[in-house]
Amino acid sequence: MLSAGLVAGVVGLVGGAPASAAAQPEPLPVLYNFPAAALISLANPNADPPGANDFSCRPSATHPLPVVLVHGTLANKTNEWQAVAPLLKNDGYCVFAPNLGGDTPTSFLQATRPIEEIAAQLGVFVDQVLAATGAAKVDIVGHSLGGMFPRYYINNLGGDTKVNSLIGLSPSNHGTTLLGLAKLGEAIGVTGPIESFCASCIQQIAGSPFLTALNANGGLRPGVRYTVIQTRYDEIVTPYTSAFLSGPNVRNITLQDTCILDGVDHTAIANDRVALRHVQNALDPAHPRPAICVPVLPTIGG
């Protein structure tokens, strides 16, 4: 009978390898460039971002909770998550990213429907992820509206029992003045036509009935961890501090406090490696990684 060592040697000579030494899959490319991501989505707005929506994925003991990525207003899963999805998949997470709130699931412009409808769609998707993976809860990473409206799902649709943490990239938590343009629009009577095309846009104006109700009594649930990652150069959520939340289970991060070189704006924050390191650490606070500080350009990322 051949010894185990001899068998291993023969396998090596013929070009094979023991199963334990099988090659690991190549890391997925991470695209820190928003314009390039937008071009990809123009070709196919329904394309899954790299590493996302593998419903055969089973969470590991290291990362037991799947991550659901939630896009913002007028965006879609393809142009939002060309950096975040592959980055987290490379880290070993099961990653999922739906299109939500568009006229159809394949529409280029998503998240235009009333926020209550979009939140209900998110709830259906989270249930699908939990059923497929066998996990008890999910973590949510959202950009802009996608970092705000999951709180409606958490607060009003039973999401507090299914969400472990909500991480917002420039979330519109307290709405926006759009540098004063929102009030101007109300004054000249253009909010009605905008609402007919994008109901969620009007609901994100600072002081709207939706936001007033959402933020009543703080708008948080004690069993959920909240992280807000925001840039001082946000030109959409204004003032930029309106993104922040307040509570014992909240961490607010201003990117320029940790990296003065980071010039990212609202549009490109999901393609900003400085911001995404904070996302990685918020998902796994027990194993923090060193901060990153590199130049990041507005509208581009880096």
Side-chain angles (χ1 to χ4, degrees):
M1 179 179 292
L2 295 175
S3 69
L6 181 58
V7 170
V10 172
V11 170
L13 286 173
V14 298
S20 61
Q24 295 300 308
E26 287 292 321
L28 296 169
V30 180
L31 185 60
Y32 296 107
N33 186 300
F34 175 73
L39 288 174
I40 291 171
S41 71
L42 282 171
N44 186 355
N46 199 41
D48 291 328
N53 296 337
D54 175 7
F55 279 84
S56 68
C57 184
R58 296 296 176 266
S60 66
T62 304
H63 298 306
L65 301 183
V67 180
V68 175
L69 306 178
V70 184
H71 59 72
T73 316
L74 305 177
N76 59 63
K77 64 182 180 180
T78 314
N79 58 35
E80 286 272 41
W81 305 123
Q82 293 293 320
V84 181
L87 177 70
L88 297 183
K89 184 67 172 182
N90 291 342
D91 284 346
Y93 291 94
C94 293
V95 182
F96 300 88
N99 273 347
L100 300 171
D103 289 339
T104 73
T106 60
S107 298
F108 182 75
L109 300 179
Q110 294 287 321
T112 60
R113 303 292 300 164
I115 293 174
E116 297 88 344
E117 292 183 24
I118 306 173
Q121 292 178 18
L122 174 62
V124 171
F125 189 81
V126 167
D127 286 345
Q128 293 171 347
V129 169
L130 294 178
T133 61
K137 292 186 176 184
V138 300
D139 289 317
I140 294 178
V141 178
H143 175 222
S144 192
L145 173 65
M148 177 269 279
F149 87 79
R151 292 199 292 125
Y152 184 89
Y153 164 61
I154 291 167
N155 295 357
N156 300 89
L157 302 178
D160 56 327
T161 65
K162 301 174 184 180
V163 177
N164 172 63
S165 66
L166 171 60
I167 302 164
L169 293 160
S170 294
S172 51
N173 280 318
H174 294 280
T176 178
T177 67
L178 280 176
L179 299 173
L181 292 178
K183 292 300 181 184
L184 177 62
E186 291 177 354
I188 64 177
V190 300
T191 55
I194 293 173
E195 186 173 16
S196 66
F197 163 70
C198 182
S200 66
C201 295
I202 302 304
Q203 289 177 295
Q204 291 177 84
I205 294 175
S208 72
F210 176 85
L211 287 171
T212 299
L214 178 66
N215 291 315
N217 302 313
L220 306 179
R221 291 295 180 268
V224 180
R225 290 188 294 108
Y226 301 85
T227 304
V228 175
I229 302 166
Q230 176 61 318
T231 172
R232 282 196 174 94
Y233 307 121
D234 195 322
E235 76 285 21
I236 301 297
V237 174
T238 61
Y240 78 91
T241 52
S242 65
F244 295 138
L245 297 170
S246 179
N249 50 337
V250 173
R251 186 181 181 204
N252 294 312
I253 300 169
T254 302
L255 290 172
Q256 289 73 31
D257 288 346
T258 65
C259 181
I260 196 171
L261 301 177
D262 193 341
V264 77
D265 62 344
H266 184 91
T267 303
I269 194 170
N271 301 87
D272 173 0
R273 72 185 71 221
V274 177
L276 299 193
R277 175 51 55 88
H278 290 295
V279 170
Q280 290 173 298
N281 287 341
L283 288 170
D284 191 6
H287 304 94
R289 305 184 187 197
I292 295 174
C293 188
V294 295
V296 181
L297 296 175
T299 74
I300 303 295

